[in-house]
Amino acid sequence: MSFIHNPDTRDARRAFLGQSGLLLSGAAVALMAGRDALAKGQDAGASDVRILNTALGAELEAIAAYQLGAESGLLEKPVLDLAVVFQGHHKEHADLLAKTVQTLGGKPVDAKKQYTFPVDTLKSQSDVLKFAAMLEKGAVSAYLGAVPVFDNRDLSKAAASILGDEAMHWAVLRHALGEPPVPSAFVS
């Protein structure tokens, strides 16, 4: 799963959700929310592990993208510091997703040895910020597609928590680019 090769966020969301064939189960999201007891009462299937691994793969890709930006030499302080903070958030998401996959009996996906990033187009801080903003927008769209499918409102709340973090990243990056941080009243 890559948001990079799918810049249209609607397509990215479809790909994010479609690759798993199913949507996150309530049990999986309960585990994500740290509510193991709630999750234990439900049967989490292989499809849940598959979609969690898809989300984990996207988070690992984001971590690698922020690492690329941090090591590019193109980011100046305080932008560099902020990028490292955002990377840390993605690490927290990835850690939680991996733990959830393991708890469900699956094997968490590993980070790819190499990602195909548009390195040749990254010539300035602005280019790196635009690249990061595109990734965050894709993540917002993907999580937005997942939130309403949960029957358990607590589970939707957990997924929405990650969505909110991704939306804040996207808004801050847009602001740093001189764009309106919140371009519209609704996110699609």
Side-chain angles (χ1 to χ4, degrees), residues 76-98:
E76 300 173 7
K77 288 191 174 255
V79 173
L80 174 59
D81 296 335
L82 190 60
V84 172
V85 168
F86 288 178
Q87 183 189 44
H89 293 171
H90 288 288
K91 287 178 179 177
E92 289 182 45
H93 299 163
D95 289 346
L96 185 59
L97 290 166

Side-chain angles (χ1 to χ4, degrees), residues 49 53 56 97-99 101-102 106-110:
V49 171
N53 265 328
L56 175 58
L97 290 166
K99 178 184 171 197
V101 167
Q102 287 176 325
K107 181 182 181 308
V109 295
D110 293 321

Side-chain angles (χ1 to χ4, degrees), residues 79-136:
V79 173
L80 174 59
D81 296 335
L82 190 60
V84 172
V85 168
F86 288 178
Q87 183 189 44
H89 293 171
H90 288 288
K91 287 178 179 177
E92 289 182 45
H93 299 163
D95 289 346
L96 185 59
L97 290 166
K99 178 184 171 197
T100 303
V101 167
Q102 287 176 325
T103 302
L104 294 174
K107 181 182 181 308
V109 295
D110 293 321
K112 293 181 180 177
K113 291 184 180 181
Q114 185 173 1
Y115 291 93
T116 305
F117 294 138
V119 177
D120 293 342
T121 64
L122 303 177
K123 306 287 188 203
S124 67
Q125 178 169 282
S126 178
D127 293 339
V128 174
L129 292 174
K130 287 177 184 173
F131 172 56
M134 181 188 70
L135 289 173
E136 297 292 358

Side-chain angles (χ1 to χ4, degrees), residues 50-69:
R50 212 171 29 248
I51 192 155
L52 289 170
N53 265 328
T54 300
L56 175 58
E59 294 289 352
L60 293 170
E61 184 176 23
I63 292 166
Y66 275 105
Q67 189 67 36
L68 173 73

